Amino acid sequence: MTSLLSVDPAAVFDSGRLIAMPTETVYGLAAPINRPDLVARIFELKGRPASNPLIVHVGSTEQARGCVREWPALAQHLAERFWPGPLTLVLPKANHISDVITAGQGTVALRMPDHPVALAILRVSPAPLVAPSANLFTRLSPTRAEDVSAVFDSADVEVVDGGPCRVGIESTIIGLDPATKTLRWLRPGLISQADIRAEMPADWRLELPPAGQEAAPDAPGQMREHYRPIKSLTVVVSERPASAIFASATGEEASWVVLPLPEDAAAAARQLYQALRQADQADGERIGLRLPPGCRDDPAWEGVLNRLAKAATDWRDECDPVS
Ligand code: TXA
Ligand code: MG
């Protein structure tokens, strides 16, 4: 146990409970990869389908290498450049990584989180830790310890408070296929396509999902109904003031909870889930959210737009100024 930790991870796991672990992106529900009982408990507590694979969190690059069959030079390079940090690498898995963790796939997702408490937990844990976001399936990911405690019983989950998450949306996920030297863009996050392209050798290529599709077919768990607030959410891309947009949409402003999001993409990501959570608890019946007009052309917004595309029930582009 280190001074950063109020709990002894091994003791928590021995008692049959999970740890809600703070990371820089969102809180994760953690269990050691070599504890099938606790890994199964994660799926059970979250209501998560078995077809949705888990990310393995590591405290060192050596631990990551121990989870894979192949560790190409590009994986080493990306790990050195972005770890600890909000980047998940999907690679051919080692035999000892269970099919339950990978949802039967031959690959495993790996990441080293950039949070002192997560790293302290990983350092003293008996093995690398699987950790999906610590939310119920399809619901908003938690960015504060209270968000986790509100959903899971302390008899099942030991919540370790590491303060509010700095990034606020889940990690960028890329798949590395060493056989074809292909990088697959599986989930956008704070680390952008440009950040990754800048690190790619000339003999690798980046494969994007087909236009109109949110993710490549081999990215299970990237389904539409994800990251949702409880109320219906309308997103409008417009220069007009938010309240004007939502008032004119129905003629009755009072039924809308209007969410102001910062115009800066990183700040918007940091506040997104918390803002949606508060809007869910507020009085109005529906949530309305305005995005700045340039967001679609700005790569910094890709992660937020991706989450909102899944969260929104309605999406409008109102580029014409009101007459
Ligand atoms: O920032 C994050 O990544 C957070 C924190 C806690 O680290 N974790 C997170 O986990 O977002 P989760 O379970 O909510 O999302 C993990 C996603 C899966 O839904 C799936 O799309 C993808 O990772 N994934 C996991 N293993 C994969 C694999 N072998 N191939 C393709 N995608 C995979
Ligand atoms: Mg999740």
Side-chain angles (χ1 to χ4, degrees):
M1 206 155 80
T2 77
S3 57
L4 264 177
L5 287 183
S6 51
V7 295
D8 175 359
V12 175
F13 297 136
D14 283 349
S15 74
R17 293 183 308 145
L18 306 172
I19 291 182
M21 169 173 86
T23 82
E24 80 282 32
T25 57
V26 300
Y27 276 71
L29 206 52
I33 58 168
N34 58 1
R35 286 286 304 267
D37 56 329
L38 295 183
V39 175
R41 190 85 178 115
I42 289 181
F43 284 92
E44 190 186 342
L45 283 179
K46 275 181 63 84
R48 182 181 179 108
S51 58
N52 196 345
L54 304 175
I55 297 175
V56 173
H57 293 65
V58 295
S60 67
T61 309
E62 290 64 44
Q63 260 188 346
R65 296 178 76 135
C67 296
V68 299
R69 186 158 45 78
E70 276 180 80
W71 183 252
L74 181 55
Q76 179 66 24
H77 177 72
L78 293 172
E80 280 170 12
R81 170 74 182 78
F82 294 109
W83 284 0
L87 179 68
T88 296
L89 303 176
V90 176
L91 287 150
K93 77 173 188 77
N95 283 339
H96 70 93
I97 303 293
S98 84
D99 284 344
V100 176
I101 292 173
T102 68
Q105 301 202 89
T107 53
V108 62
L110 296 159
R111 121 173 167 89
M112 190 195 299
D114 184 18
H115 192 294
V117 175
L119 290 170
I121 292 173
L122 284 162
R123 251 197 320 271
V124 298
S125 287
L129 302 174
V130 288
S133 50
N135 54 297
L136 296 176
F137 181 59
T138 78
R139 291 298 171 201
L140 296 170
S141 296
T143 52
R144 298 176 316 171
E146 305 91 280
D147 303 336
V148 186
S149 315
V151 177
F152 297 108
D153 199 303
S154 58
D156 299 317
V157 178
E158 173 81 34
V159 182
V160 180
D161 192 347
C165 301
R166 169 174 66 80
V167 174
I169 58 171
E170 301 81 353
S171 60
T172 302
I173 306 182
I174 51 178
L176 282 80
D177 183 352
T180 59
K181 299 210 163 176
T182 306
L183 269 184
R184 293 202 176 84
W185 189 247
L186 297 178
R187 181 174 74 182
L190 183 73
I191 293 173
S192 70
Q193 284 176 31
D195 294 332
I196 298 298
R197 281 189 200 280
E199 306 299 327
M200 278 170 61
D203 57 340
W204 281 74
R205 65 187 183 95
L206 182 63
E207 187 180 282
L208 302 178
Q213 275 190 33
E214 282 153 355
D218 65 348
Q222 298 295 307
M223 55 275 282
R224 249 196 84 76
E225 298 220 339
H226 228 91
Y227 315 109
R228 271 184 24 211
I230 295 162
K231 290 175 183 158
S232 71
L233 169 69
T234 297
V235 178
V236 179
V237 181
S238 173
E239 274 173 47
R240 295 164 62 195
S243 56
I245 297 166
F246 298 110
S248 65
T250 59
E252 38 171 334
E253 191 171 346
S255 65
W256 291 93
V257 191
V258 180
L259 262 189
L261 261 199
E263 302 244 326
D264 170 70
R270 191 176 309 125
Q271 293 176 30
L272 180 66
Y273 291 142
Q274 205 50 47
L276 289 172
R277 231 170 249 284
Q278 277 165 4
D280 256 345
Q281 283 150 19
D283 280 342
E285 291 156 29
R286 284 163 287 186
I287 308 171
L289 189 156
R290 185 186 66 84
L291 295 175
C295 65
R296 285 197 197 281
D297 306 316
D298 182 350
W301 280 90
E302 194 188 351
V304 171
L305 293 180
N306 167 273
R307 304 310 188 273
L308 284 174
K310 293 168 194 230
T313 35
D314 186 19
W315 191 291
R316 293 178 221 152
D317 284 278
E318 286 197 8
C319 293
D320 297 335
V322 204
S323 51

